[in-house]
């Protein structure tokens, strides 16, 4: 299974950060990148989606794709362009925020909204495939829903109140929250015929119930029972929402939105667009609602045709088990894909002092001509679900235990026990906060096939942020690896020896011509505790010899005349 698709992007290193990860705004990261130490280190920059107008999930609930004025400006993007740094942005195909202009138009105009088909109306979707319930939504028949995967308990529905008071259920795969405004005495007196003192006591009763988490229908009105219906109607008429609403990919307006967004991202300076949640977008009764076949591939092909108009390369993002071979299928279709296996494989190789599985994976990338973006750490964590089928289950458990012992947290898949997904930790802490291990891991990464992506905290040897997790509260485990740094703090980190050496390695990877998607990589046979790799491109060569037992390594690079142009040694 091979892909013959040419990837029209450079394979140089790519920085990865939120726009406020260093200094509080993108302009501070630009200042960081303008320092002499960072010159020619990065070819591109993956800016996470809080750079846009977003509300939840630190950027992955997009209101619109205008720049977030608190974090970024057109001038910042222009400065990045002047540094010859191309950009990678996220595009969320499956959903938009309830605060998006399109959904707000639905809330305002109801059935008269031009966007009423922009989102998936649950009852229209399931009409003829189930029974209407007393609650006003269709319960699909088991035969049509048995192959579907829902990320939360119950059906993925958000019931939305229309201007005429009717309730319409919409498909809502991801987050949702419904809030009710507090009412005061005047609200009740102006809308319901009652005396002031009665309104005062009733407002207190209602607000206490709402503040305790009750819905209007759950409120016990007691001696005010005669006002129940009118008070509930008042509260529901002022209902507010947060969440991410699934888009109806059968709507022409959605495709107009897709194209306009891709055009805007290209105008910002994007060369790569990461497609987030794409596998949830195609839906049909009786079929899978995750990675629907052929719907998913039909969707990607239509999006690719739009992207090509604007010179964009697509990177579909999906976490799946190695044994499912979804990464192969994505590559075979001609797309870039993530190497989510490398982070765990490197820790495994360094802990067990063996190149066995790593060499197997490198061979597979070469033989199947997979075009990948690889990484050590990232904003999500160290993926473990992906390793199943490539690494034995008992080895994966040892990996989990090792990283947790070093201060990491386990993230189970959508809350299901015994279904490992990610370990949340900085990569430096996952390696035992060992400078030599981090440098060796980085050296191997830059010699791996693909385009190396570099999380800012990895670059600066960041440690687990347990205080950040505690501050974030329940569900805040990812904050362990998302510490926002002050600009001076980041600049001071450039003095660390482990940071200086990483920058040197990345600059070598970015500027030496032996590497590339079309270059040749050879694995040189060696003992299991030694990894030897050699790149060749237009008579330029770059060689790595790494000892996985004592963490020493050497790099040598030669030009077309066999003259050594670069060397690096960690003894």
């Amino acid at each position: 299974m091979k892909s013959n698709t040419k990837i029209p992007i450079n394979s140089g290193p790519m920085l990865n950060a939120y726009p406020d990860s260093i200094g509080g705004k993108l302009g501070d990261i630009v200042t960081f990148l303008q320092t002499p130490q960072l010159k020619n280190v990065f070819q591109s920059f993956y800016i996470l989606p809080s750079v846009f107008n977003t509300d939840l999930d630190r950027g992955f609930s997009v209101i619109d794709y205008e720049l977030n004025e608190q974090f970024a400006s057109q001038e910042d993007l222009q400065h990045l362009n002047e540094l010859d740094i191309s950009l990678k942005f996220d595009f969320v195909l499956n959903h938009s925020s309830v605060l998006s202009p399109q959904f707000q138009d639905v809330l305002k105009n109801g059935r008269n909204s031009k966007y009423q088909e922009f989102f998936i109306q649950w009852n229209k979707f399931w009409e003829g495939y189930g029974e209407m319930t007393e609650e006003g939504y269709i319960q699909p028949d088991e035969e049509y829903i048995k192959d579907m995967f829902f990320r939360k308990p119950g059906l993925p529905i958000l019931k939305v109140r229309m201007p005429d008071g009717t309730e319409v259920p919409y498909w809502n795969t991801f987050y949702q929250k419904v809030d009710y405004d507090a009412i005061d005495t005047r609200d009740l007196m102006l809308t319901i015929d009652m005396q002031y003192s009665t309104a005062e006591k009733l407002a207190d009763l209602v607000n206490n119930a709402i503040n305790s988490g009750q819905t209007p229908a759950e409120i016990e009105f007691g001696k005010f029972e005669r006002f129940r219906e009118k008070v509930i109607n008042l509260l529901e008429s002022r209902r507010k929402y947060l969440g991410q609403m699934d888009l109806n990919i059968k709507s022409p307006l959605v495709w107009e939105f897709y194209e306009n967004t891709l055009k805007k991202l290209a105008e910002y300076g994007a060369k790569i667009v990461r497609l987030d949640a794409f596998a949830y977008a195609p839906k049909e009764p009786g079929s899978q609602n995750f990675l629907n076949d052929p719907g998913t591939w039909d969707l990607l092909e239509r999006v690719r045709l739009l992207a090509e108009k604007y010179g964009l390369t697509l990177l579909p993002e999906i976490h799946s088990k190695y044994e499912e071979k979804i990464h192969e299928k994505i590559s075979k279709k001609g797309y870039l894909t993530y190497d989510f296996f490398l982070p765990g494989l490197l820790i495994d190789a360094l802990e067990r002092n063996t190149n066995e599985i790593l060499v197997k994976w490198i061979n597979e990338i070469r033989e199947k001509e997979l075009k990948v973006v690889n990484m050590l750490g990232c904003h999500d964590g160290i993926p473990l679900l992906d390793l199943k089928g490539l690494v034995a289950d008992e080895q994966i458990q040892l990996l989990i235990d090792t990283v947790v012992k070093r201060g990491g947290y386990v993230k189970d898949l959508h809350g299901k026990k015994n279904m490992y997904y990610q370990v949340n930790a900085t990569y430096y802490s996952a390696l035992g906060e060992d400078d030599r291990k981090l440098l060796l891991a980085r050296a191997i990464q830059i010699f791996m096939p693909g385009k190396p992506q570099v999380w800012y905290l990895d670059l600066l040897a960041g440690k687990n942020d347990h205080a950040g997790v505690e501050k974030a509260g329940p569900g805040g485990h990812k904050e362990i690896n998302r510490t926002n740094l002050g600009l001076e703090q980041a600049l001071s980190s450039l003095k660390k020896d482990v940071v200086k050496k990483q920058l040197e390695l990345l600059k070598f990877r970015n500027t030496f011509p032996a590497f590339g998607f079309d270059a040749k990589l050879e694995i040189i046979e060696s003992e299991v505790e030694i990894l030897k790799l050699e790149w060749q491109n237009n008579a330029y060569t770059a060689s790595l010899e790494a000892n996985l037992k004592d963490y020493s390594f050497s790099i040598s690079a030669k030009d077309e005349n066999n003259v050594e142009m670069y060397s690096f040694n960690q003894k």
Side-chain angles (χ1 to χ4, degrees), residues 21 26 47 75 96 100 112 120 127 212 225 249 255 281 291 315 377 386 389 398 423 426 450 457 485 509 513 566:
S21 289
L26 186 59
I47 311 174
E75 289 76 14
S96 287
S100 65
N112 295 321
I120 300 176
E127 188 174 2
S212 71
E225 182 65 27
I249 62 172
W255 285 96
L291 211 66
L315 174 55
D386 306 63
L398 286 172
V423 171
T426 70
L457 278 182
L485 305 175
R509 175 64 172 79
Y566 177 81

Side-chain angles (χ1 to χ4, degrees), residues 317 319 340 378-386 400 409-413 419-425 477-478:
E317 187 269 353
H319 280 282
F340 283 129
C378 68
H379 71 285
D380 260 349
I382 302 169
L384 299 176
L385 171 67
D386 306 63
I400 295 171
Y409 296 108
V410 174
K411 172 66 168 68
D412 295 321
L413 178 60
M419 185 77 109
Y420 43 75
Y421 181 36
Q422 295 169 342
V423 171
N424 293 104
H477 51 277
K478 292 183 180 180

Side-chain angles (χ1 to χ4, degrees), residues 139-346:
Q139 173 64 53
D141 294 338
E142 179 61 23
E143 65 181 295
Y144 298 113
I145 207 170
K146 62 182 176 65
D147 293 325
M148 291 194 168
F149 167 70
F150 300 135
R151 292 177 58 99
K152 51 195 178 187
L155 297 174
I157 293 173
L158 178 64
K159 294 183 74 174
V160 176
R161 184 182 175 94
M162 294 291 109
D164 62 3
T166 59
E167 299 275 339
V168 178
Y170 280 87
W171 198 310
N172 166 246
T173 294
F174 291 86
Y175 181 86
Q176 65 169 255
K177 184 181 180 184
V178 177
D179 290 315
Y180 295 92
D181 284 344
I183 58 175
D184 63 22
T185 304
R186 289 164 296 176
D187 292 328
L188 294 174
M189 292 189 67
L190 290 172
T191 56
I192 306 171
D193 184 17
M194 66 177 70
Q195 294 182 351
Y196 182 87
S197 58
T198 300
E200 190 174 37
K201 292 182 180 299
L202 179 55
D204 285 343
L205 182 150
V206 169
N207 290 335
N208 287 335
I210 293 298
N211 290 337
S212 71
Q214 294 182 46
T215 66
E218 294 170 338
I219 297 174
E220 294 288 343
F221 283 85
K223 64 181 180 180
F224 301 111
E225 182 65 27
R226 68 186 185 277
F227 298 117
R228 166 184 286 275
E229 184 176 343
K230 290 183 178 180
V231 172
I232 288 177
N233 188 61
L234 173 62
L235 289 167
E236 295 290 3
S237 70
R238 294 158 41 149
R239 186 194 306 167
K240 292 180 179 177
Y241 312 90
L242 280 176
Q244 299 141 304
M245 308 306 296
D246 288 37
L247 304 185
N248 175 15
I249 62 172
K250 296 180 180 179
S251 166
L253 288 178
V254 167
W255 285 96
E256 181 180 307
F257 164 72
Y258 281 177
E259 177 160 10
N260 289 340
T261 301
L262 290 168
K263 181 174 184 287
K264 182 181 291 290
L265 298 182
E267 290 170 348
Y268 286 155
K271 293 299 180 184
I272 303 175
V273 172
R274 174 185 181 271
L275 298 180
D276 185 74
F278 74 94
Y280 290 94
K283 304 174 180 71
E284 293 291 342
S287 299
Q288 292 181 332
N289 63 325
F290 180 79
L291 211 66
N292 179 307
D293 192 351
T296 302
W297 312 113
D298 294 342
L299 169 75
L300 286 180
E301 184 59 26
R302 284 189 68 182
V303 175
R304 172 162 51 187
L305 292 175
L306 294 177
E308 286 176 348
K309 291 171 61 175
Y310 304 104
L312 298 170
T313 296
L314 298 180
L315 174 55
E317 187 269 353
I318 186 170
H319 280 282
S320 61
K321 301 171 187 174
Y322 168 87
E323 63 192 12
E324 294 171 336
K325 303 296 184 182
I326 293 173
H327 60 283
E328 285 187 19
K329 192 163 188 177
I330 290 173
S331 183
K332 186 181 179 184
K333 298 284 185 180
Y335 299 99
L336 271 178
T337 188
Y338 274 111
D339 178 359
F340 283 129
F341 311 115
L342 181 63
L345 291 181
L346 279 176

Side-chain angles (χ1 to χ4, degrees), residues 28-48:
D28 294 314
I29 300 182
V30 171
T31 298
F32 180 75
L33 290 169
Q34 288 172 333
T35 61
Q37 298 96 315
L38 272 292
K39 185 177 181 181
N40 294 326
V41 170
F42 292 107
Q43 187 272 329
S44 50
F45 182 10
Y46 170 25
I47 311 174
L48 284 153

